[in-house]
Amino acid sequence: MSALTTSQLATSCTGFGMADRSAPSSMLRRGFQGLKPWSPAGTALSMTTSARATPRQQRAVHRGSRRFPSVVMYATAGGMNVVFVGAEMAPWSKTGGLGDVLGGLPPAMAANGHRVMVISPRYDQYKDAWDTSVVAEIKVGDTYERVRFFHCFKRGVDRVFIDHPSFLEKVWGKTGEKIYGPDTGTDYRDNQLRFSLLCQAALEAPRILNLNNNPYFSGPYGEDVVFVCNDWHTGPLPSYLKNNYQPNGIYKSAKVAFCIHNISYQGRFAFEDFPSLNLSERFKSSFDFIDGYDKPVEGRKINWMKAGILEADRVLTVSPYYAEELISGIARGCELDNIMRLTGITGIVNGMDVSEWDPSKDKYITVKYDATTAVEAKALNKEALQAEIGLPVNRKTPLIAFIGRLEEQKGPDVMAAAIPELMKEDVQIVLLGTGKKKFEKLLKSAEEKYPGMVRAVVKFNAPLAHHIMAGADLLAVTSRFEPCGLIQLQGMRYGTVQYQSYTLQVFSPVHVA
């Protein structure tokens, strides 16, 4: 995976208003792979501007262009200290693409010479993460909570886990959808306090953790860092940075990038909950939000994602086309389109972890293959898959696959509605996913109606997802919208033809103003 083409943050230090730093001399002596000086004909990827706003809005953006400059992306030998923060981090925790990105993107950044940390909650007793014995007290609501920091060093990245009962006691065991609530579609009542804790602990970690596993870097990350916040769970982090640290001369040069993976989830809470965040009144307007819904309360609310967009130094998303969608109107921008038209949003096409998704090395598939052996290998993988899931073994029968979370966005109901028509042909169908109970029942009912032709596996099963990708003939993508579409990238990587019920367009990185 190229860190330049897949990174939400592969920008120059100067693009964030940060001074270049020279790489440690020991790194240069050892010839660290991936460190290449920038050259105009080499790694530069120019970013273009798409004029989508009204002239008045364009003038407003131009006045604020010092925050959102059009920059040139390149790898530099004087890497940055990059700290990713998110609610999920594969393979330790994952419900979808967010976990995949925080699992696979940081190693690509590290390979380009940056020092990289990822911070996420400790939802389970991870056997490879050890207690650092570092404890911090953080004010959450009206109380001070003690958190511990667990750590492991994998693939060139410091993985840091925030340990607190609000994470561990709720989710311990198979994470599934329990990261955010006891069941799909049901949130924990204290989610606002849980993820406020994550944001504040993440700001402490670079300063107080003395990490020495990396052969090229050692000691605390310090204050000269770029935080990459991901989705609504980390929306308050730039506000805490400005409220708690910078007035005291701490993190004065630190920058924050806020990455939107899915605009549909914004962290909307009751307006009267704002004081529990322990932020000064000047941030209230950034959170203030009015919609026409009666959940969690009717009318005025606070909106974590809105605050993240307004208070960050740069706003990112996972593909150029999704960036255009987000500012196109209320429906696709989910009522934040006007905010993003004013601030600007940079779309950089996402990427998959090619060390995990590689059919020539995949430990989960029966027969490994590459482009020269794909035809015969996929037939053998199909036979092994048919046997594993209980379908009649016949390599000549077309096998159609659906893999995805069972919620409205991914269109499991669209897939279910198509099955009766597909059954008129001589095909087999395998369905893999977990999520809302009504969709799980819908897919299981299809299996019951067409025994021996349809198989529905309604649980999280990563090895089976790999096996399906290698063995299926056609991948059905029935999503109503896809911010990026990692599933399509994986399908192409495994030579699996895709049918998509929507138009996916991929462009070069673009800054939408």
Side-chain angles (χ1 to χ4, degrees), residues 303-317:
N303 187 316
W304 281 31
M305 183 167 280
K306 179 191 172 189
I309 293 170
L310 287 173
E311 298 296 340
D313 296 286
R314 184 177 290 274
V315 185
L316 312 172
T317 192

Side-chain angles (χ1 to χ4, degrees), residues 271 284-290 300-303 306:
F271 188 72
K284 183 179 287 188
S285 61
S286 294
F287 285 84
D288 194 359
F289 188 76
I290 299 178
R300 187 172 235 98
K301 301 173 177 65
I302 59 172
N303 187 316
K306 179 191 172 189

Side-chain angles (χ1 to χ4, degrees), residues 185 268-270 291-299 301:
R268 301 182 186 185
F269 299 96
D291 62 26
Y293 299 98
D294 59 0
K295 292 183 179 179
V297 293
E298 187 175 357
K301 301 173 177 65

Side-chain angles (χ1 to χ4, degrees), residues 249-268:
I250 305 172
Y251 282 133
K252 292 183 68 174
S253 62
K255 300 296 180 180
V256 180
F258 183 72
C259 184
I260 301 171
H261 297 258
N262 192 334
I263 196 72
S264 298
Y265 303 95
Q266 297 181 2
R268 301 182 186 185

Side-chain angles (χ1 to χ4, degrees), residues 156-218:
V157 176
D158 289 305
R159 308 286 184 168
V160 175
F161 303 92
I162 306 303
D163 180 63
H164 186 267
S166 64
F167 301 123
L168 187 61
E169 291 179 0
K170 283 182 167 64
V171 188
W172 192 2
K174 296 289 184 181
T175 56
E177 294 292 310
K178 293 190 294 182
I179 290 175
Y180 308 112
D183 298 297
T184 303
T186 303
D187 293 338
Y188 293 120
R189 291 178 179 272
D190 62 345
N191 270 355
Q192 191 165 204
L193 300 179
R194 295 170 75 222
F195 295 116
S196 167
L197 186 73
L198 169 64
C199 292
Q200 295 183 75
L203 286 165
E204 283 293 294
R207 301 175 59 243
I208 65 177
L209 294 181
N210 187 23
L211 304 176
N212 299 296
N213 298 83
N214 194 317
Y216 307 106
F217 305 99
S218 63

